[in-house]
Amino acid sequence: MPSDSTAALSTPTILIVGDAPESLEQLGRILAEAGYQVRKVGSGELAVAPAQTSPTDLVILDVEASGQRGYETCRQIKQHQQTQQLPIVFVSAFQDASDKVRAFSAGAVDYITKPFQAPEVLARVATHVRLNALQRRLEAQNRELERLATTDPLTGLLNRRSFTSYGLNYLAQASRYGTHFSLTLFDIDGFKGINDAYGHDVGDKVLVIVTRRIRQQLRDVDLFARWGGEEFIILSPKTTCERAAHLAERLRRCLLARPIEPAGFVTASFGIATERSGESFDDLIRCADHALLSAKEGGRNRVVTASEERLLQWAN
């Protein structure tokens, strides 16, 4: 049987490949009796697609009859991104060192010579299935750590650090290719009063609903992040100052469309800045922040756009 640690994850599936019916049957019986799910295909040409499209934990490639084609099958499986990490074990009557070297060069993780014994096959299979499961778990944990490091846990948006990293890349591209982008910095009006009156649970609810409403209005290419507290930021690629102002006005009206109970109608103030040649990302942020401050001082619930010549104010 598979080890308890492997079986706890799921019942491993083994794909057996080869054109020797007796060998396929023998390997299939050994593995099935040990509790593995077994799939068998009669040639290498038929193995690549199932390895890609069906859940597979390990491939056993019997090359006794398929000969040189077995090495090519191994290479083809390893060429595809979704099966690059799939462990492949060769089973063969070829016992020359050169044959083993070719197998490992093609991407195999192990090589079992015939005549094989069932305990040896099971021990090697269990080892590689377990290693593959651990590798997948490690990759999943790394992806989760990356997600936690780059996103805000409450809203699921990019966090400040991650957004800044993307922003610096956009600034470098704008400088190189002459493209432009705009930043929209916005802040929920009177958010402290919401927390004081209704508690932080309601405050969190407001942040989540505001995030959802704003995100629904944005393009897939727009970057949306929680800048801090009740403050958010949007990077709009290839967007002029005027277009960014129209977007912000639409977002402002979107927030006013429906109340967020029990807090009631929630408004936000918006400040916009557009990238200019020679300007640093910090300069651009400060420009947007200055426009946001002007929106706050001008009565809140409005959009203020900072430009090189003037502040254009959009009031409700």
Side-chain angles (χ1 to χ4, degrees), residues 244-254 302-303 314-316:
H246 282 288
L247 170 63
E249 179 64 11
R250 188 169 75 246
L251 299 179
R252 188 187 70 81
R253 294 179 182 276
C254 172
R302 61 189 61 218
V303 177
W314 291 55
N316 60 328

Side-chain angles (χ1 to χ4, degrees), residues 194-204:
I194 294 174
N195 276 334
D196 291 344
Y198 303 101
H200 288 279
D201 286 346
V202 172
D204 287 349

Side-chain angles (χ1 to χ4, degrees), residues 125-203:
V125 166
T127 295
H128 293 297
V129 166
R130 182 171 61 253
L131 290 175
N132 187 43
L134 291 173
Q135 177 67 25
R136 289 179 177 178
R137 185 186 300 174
L138 179 61
E139 291 172 353
Q141 290 173 343
N142 287 338
R143 287 193 298 270
E144 178 63 11
L145 288 174
E146 176 67 17
R147 186 189 68 80
L148 292 173
T150 59
T151 59
D152 171 61
L154 177 64
T155 62
L157 298 175
L158 294 174
N159 61 23
R160 185 176 185 138
R161 175 180 170 185
S162 180
F163 181 88
T164 300
S165 177
Y166 280 113
L168 291 172
N169 287 333
Y170 271 93
L171 187 64
Q173 292 179 23
S175 175
R176 181 174 182 179
Y177 299 108
T179 58
H180 297 282
F181 63 89
S182 293
L183 290 183
T184 301
L185 193 63
F186 72 92
D187 182 281
I188 298 175
D189 296 326
F191 186 74
K192 183 179 182 300
I194 294 174
N195 276 334
D196 291 344
Y198 303 101
H200 288 279
D201 286 346
V202 172

Side-chain angles (χ1 to χ4, degrees), residues 39-305:
R39 291 183 289 120
K40 294 177 282 188
V41 294
S43 70
E45 292 80 359
L46 299 176
V48 178
Q52 295 173 10
T53 58
S54 302
T56 305
D57 296 278
L58 183 139
V59 175
I60 296 181
L61 188 54
D62 187 343
V63 294
E64 178 181 16
S66 56
Q68 303 301 319
R69 296 194 305 274
Y71 302 111
E72 182 58 29
T73 297
C74 184
R75 292 190 188 93
Q76 289 179 5
I77 292 175
K78 290 294 183 177
Q79 284 175 355
H80 294 274
Q81 184 175 358
Q82 61 266 48
T83 52
Q84 278 181 346
Q85 304 303 319
L86 187 60
I88 300 175
V89 175
F90 273 60
V91 175
S92 177
F94 306 132
Q95 300 189 27
D96 290 345
S98 60
D99 293 311
K100 298 177 182 179
V101 169
R102 288 195 65 186
F104 289 120
S105 297
V109 297
D110 209 342
Y111 192 101
I112 304 174
T113 56
K114 295 182 180 181
F116 54 76
Q117 300 295 320
E120 178 187 11
V121 172
L122 292 176
R124 292 176 183 265
V125 166
T127 295
H128 293 297
V129 166
R130 182 171 61 253
L131 290 175
N132 187 43
L134 291 173
Q135 177 67 25
R136 289 179 177 178
R137 185 186 300 174
L138 179 61
E139 291 172 353
Q141 290 173 343
N142 287 338
R143 287 193 298 270
E144 178 63 11
L145 288 174
E146 176 67 17
R147 186 189 68 80
L148 292 173
T150 59
T151 59
D152 171 61
L154 177 64
T155 62
L157 298 175
L158 294 174
N159 61 23
R160 185 176 185 138
R161 175 180 170 185
S162 180
F163 181 88
T164 300
S165 177
Y166 280 113
L168 291 172
N169 287 333
Y170 271 93
L171 187 64
Q173 292 179 23
S175 175
R176 181 174 182 179
Y177 299 108
T179 58
H180 297 282
F181 63 89
S182 293
L183 290 183
T184 301
L185 193 63
F186 72 92
D187 182 281
I188 298 175
D189 296 326
F191 186 74
K192 183 179 182 300
I194 294 174
N195 276 334
D196 291 344
Y198 303 101
H200 288 279
D201 286 346
V202 172
D204 287 349
K205 175 184 177 182
V206 168
L207 292 173
V208 170
I209 293 177
V210 166
T211 296
R212 185 186 310 142
R213 291 183 183 178
I214 296 296
R215 179 183 269 154
Q216 290 172 349
Q217 300 295 318
L218 299 179
R219 304 169 300 176
D220 291 340
V221 296
D222 295 326
L223 295 179
F224 186 21
R226 186 178 179 188
W227 196 239
E230 67 273 25
E231 200 168 43
F232 299 81
I233 192 166
I234 301 165
L235 188 154
S236 303
K238 298 181 179 179
T239 302
T240 64
C241 184
E242 183 179 4
R243 288 177 59 190
H246 282 288
L247 170 63
E249 179 64 11
R250 188 169 75 246
L251 299 179
R252 188 187 70 81
R253 294 179 182 276
C254 172
L255 293 180
L256 277 172
R258 301 186 307 278
I260 301 176
E261 300 301 342
F265 287 97
V266 173
T267 65
S269 301
F270 296 78
I272 298 167
T274 302
E275 178 271 333
R276 294 178 301 195
S277 178
E279 196 171 44
S280 72
F281 194 68
D282 286 342
D283 290 338
L284 188 58
I285 293 291
R286 280 193 290 269
C287 193
D289 190 56
H290 179 75
L292 173 58
L293 180 61
S294 295
K296 290 286 190 182
E297 292 176 345
R300 303 180 181 180
N301 186 27
R302 61 189 61 218
V303 177
V304 171
T305 301

